[in-house]
Amino acid sequence: KNEKIKNIAYKNKVNYLNFFELACNIKEKKCNYLDSSMNKIHKTVAGHFTKEGLNYFSKLVGDRIIF
């Protein structure tokens, strides 16, 4: 599913950000669950974020946005 979206974005010259790749180290098969201050990022196993998690990911996304 993500590959299909990625291909559509590429064809339409739209930047694509794979959130899974942002949140996880795919090579090590590990995902972040604490920020640098040891605050929980996720509230549930479904991936709902804590307030600290929202701040953590907004910073990561902001660092990767290219205008």
Side-chain angles (χ1 to χ4, degrees), residues 31-42 50-53 56:
C31 296
N32 298 329
Y33 63 95
L34 298 174
D35 65 12
S36 60
S37 298
M38 304 305 283
N39 295 308
K40 285 185 179 180
I41 294 172
H42 304 283
T50 61
K51 288 181 184 178
E52 293 83 4
Y56 173 80

Side-chain angles (χ1 to χ4, degrees), residues 14-42:
V14 175
N15 290 334
Y16 172 79
L17 177 67
N18 183 332
F19 190 77
F20 182 74
E21 290 175 1
L22 183 69
C24 301
N25 183 326
I26 295 170
K27 288 182 183 179
E28 293 182 16
K29 296 183 180 180
K30 294 181 180 179
C31 296
N32 298 329
Y33 63 95
L34 298 174
D35 65 12
S36 60
S37 298
M38 304 305 283
N39 295 308
K40 285 185 179 180
I41 294 172
H42 304 283

